[in-house]
Amino acid sequence: MRCWAEIDLASLERNLNRIRSALPKQMKYVSVVKADAYGHGIHPTAARLMQSGVDLFAVANVKEAIDIREMGSGWPILILGPLLEEEDQALIDYDLIASLSNHSELERFANLALNAGTSVKIHLKVDTGMGRMGAWWEEAPTLLGQVMQTSGLDLQGILTHFPDPSNHAFTREQRARFLEVIQPALEKYPDLLIHADNSSSLRSIDKASPFNAVRIGLLQFGVAPPKDSLLADLEVEPVLSFHSKLALIKELPA
Ligand SMILES: *Cc1c(COP(=O)(O)O)cnc(C)c1O
């Protein structure tokens, strides 16, 4: 073995503990392990994260969600990306949580629940200006209202994503849009997970705000966030390191 990458699971656990202790006690930790845990390998990292006590896993797609589910039952697993229709059944078969963005998904998931004689767990995704997944914030209140009236849908959370936390004005605007959308659900569903911040934002954690979960990806693997994010001073260690052996050293004239 001349060149290799090492994955230091003890570092991963120390990072997790540091992030945890920098967050308020009640804040839920959604561990983002999409793309094979950012290339660190899903099985060893997810196993360690389970032992170290994350609250929920988030992944990009059904395949990644099933990989984690096969490691153990009981862990809540949220799929951040949209499902293909032929993947819907996996929500039931593997007990997964879907992100819901629009009315056609609502109908699909409600039918799925009806046919399976159970309910489908969802987090409602709100697009507060990024333009990726989620219901556009001006249309999201209608969708939320429909979700609340549809039997078979088990609304467990509401989320949005901040694509550019260093752009404070835009992010502030996004946050305001989001808070307005979620308002009607807060009373009816006291246990909802309300989450937006990722490694580089983490600015939603004052006590008065309804945010009660954060989605941490890069930071837990030791990739430091931008200087202006709330946890920028946190000392995290890289989990991945590259190594190689020197076979020949030679000096040449300049
Ligand atoms: C990737 C991703 C995250 C995690 O972001 P990091 O910068 O890695 O912490 C959070 N939320 C969503 C929707 C993502 O796609």
Side-chain angles (χ1 to χ4, degrees), residues 124-177:
L124 177 70
K125 193 151 195 175
V126 181
D127 183 346
T128 48
M130 181 183 188
R132 193 170 63 172
M133 287 159 281
W136 187 248
W137 58 281
E138 289 166 300
E139 290 150 21
T142 308
L143 187 61
L144 174 60
Q146 289 164 340
V147 166
M148 288 165 54
Q149 283 168 16
T150 304
S151 60
L153 295 184
D154 177 7
L155 181 66
Q156 300 196 337
I158 311 183
L159 71 152
T160 189
H161 192 61
F162 300 143
D164 188 10
S166 298
N167 183 341
H168 295 241
F170 176 51
T171 304
R172 206 175 309 119
E173 180 67 31
Q174 283 192 281
R175 202 183 290 286
R177 290 168 178 174

Side-chain angles (χ1 to χ4, degrees), residues 32 34 38 80 125 132 161 198-200 215-219:
V32 182
K34 62 194 178 194
Y38 295 68
L80 295 168
K125 193 151 195 175
R132 193 170 63 172
H161 192 61
N198 67 350
S199 297
S200 55
R215 298 190 302 271
I216 307 288
L218 288 169
L219 192 59

Side-chain angles (χ1 to χ4, degrees), residues 101-117:
S101 289
N102 64 25
H103 190 262
S104 87
E105 288 175 337
L106 178 148
E107 287 186 333
R108 266 163 51 191
F109 297 159
N111 281 334
L112 180 68
L114 194 66
N115 291 335

Side-chain angles (χ1 to χ4, degrees), residues 29-49:
Y29 190 109
V30 180
S31 180
V32 182
V33 289
K34 62 194 178 194
D36 200 24
Y38 295 68
H40 292 71
I42 187 63
H43 289 115
T45 53
R48 190 60 170 245
L49 290 163

Side-chain angles (χ1 to χ4, degrees), residues 5-246:
E6 282 179 10
I7 303 298
D8 184 349
L9 296 173
S11 296
L12 178 63
E13 183 166 333
R14 283 193 293 273
N15 289 343
L16 174 69
N17 291 337
R18 285 183 193 116
I19 299 165
R20 272 257 196 228
S21 54
L23 296 169
K25 278 250 162 343
Q26 76 281 4
M27 191 66 56
K28 298 275 192 241
Y29 190 109
V30 180
S31 180
V32 182
V33 289
K34 62 194 178 194
D36 200 24
Y38 295 68
H40 292 71
I42 187 63
H43 289 115
T45 53
R48 190 60 170 245
L49 290 163
M50 286 174 178
Q51 287 167 15
S52 321
V54 300
D55 296 299
L56 198 137
F57 287 104
V59 293
N61 58 46
V62 166
K63 159 78 172 67
E64 295 176 351
I66 294 174
D67 277 350
I68 298 180
R69 173 57 71 234
E70 288 182 337
M71 296 172 65
S73 58
W75 293 95
I77 305 170
L78 171 66
I79 304 171
L80 295 168
L83 276 77
L84 299 171
E85 200 165 347
E86 63 261 33
E87 295 170 335
D88 288 355
Q89 184 62 34
L91 296 174
I92 303 289
D93 295 346
Y94 294 90
D95 187 22
L96 307 172
I97 310 167
S99 299
L100 184 125
S101 289
N102 64 25
H103 190 262
S104 87
E105 288 175 337
L106 178 148
E107 287 186 333
R108 266 163 51 191
F109 297 159
N111 281 334
L112 180 68
L114 194 66
N115 291 335
T118 177
S119 57
V120 171
K121 297 171 184 165
I122 58 159
H123 285 205
L124 177 70
K125 193 151 195 175
V126 181
D127 183 346
T128 48
M130 181 183 188
R132 193 170 63 172
M133 287 159 281
W136 187 248
W137 58 281
E138 289 166 300
E139 290 150 21
T142 308
L143 187 61
L144 174 60
Q146 289 164 340
V147 166
M148 288 165 54
Q149 283 168 16
T150 304
S151 60
L153 295 184
D154 177 7
L155 181 66
Q156 300 196 337
I158 311 183
L159 71 152
T160 189
H161 192 61
F162 300 143
D164 188 10
S166 298
N167 183 341
H168 295 241
F170 176 51
T171 304
R172 206 175 309 119
E173 180 67 31
Q174 283 192 281
R175 202 183 290 286
R177 290 168 178 174
F178 183 70
L179 288 173
E180 196 175 318
V181 170
I182 66 174
Q183 212 52 49
L186 292 179
E187 260 179 44
K188 197 170 164 206
Y189 302 85
D191 298 330
L192 279 185
L193 280 190
I194 305 294
H195 50 117
D197 289 273
N198 67 350
S199 297
S200 55
S201 47
L202 293 168
R203 288 191 169 275
S204 307
I205 51 183
D206 64 281
K207 286 220 172 57
S209 99
F211 290 97
N212 55 15
V214 291
R215 298 190 302 271
I216 307 288
L218 288 169
L219 192 59
Q220 64 195 349
F221 296 106
V223 179
K227 290 264 172 294
D228 59 349
S229 78
L230 202 63
L231 296 188
D233 296 333
L234 208 70
E235 301 250 328
V236 288
E237 314 162 34
V239 172
L240 180 147
S241 56
F242 286 114
H243 304 262
S244 76
K245 292 181 178 171
L246 295 179

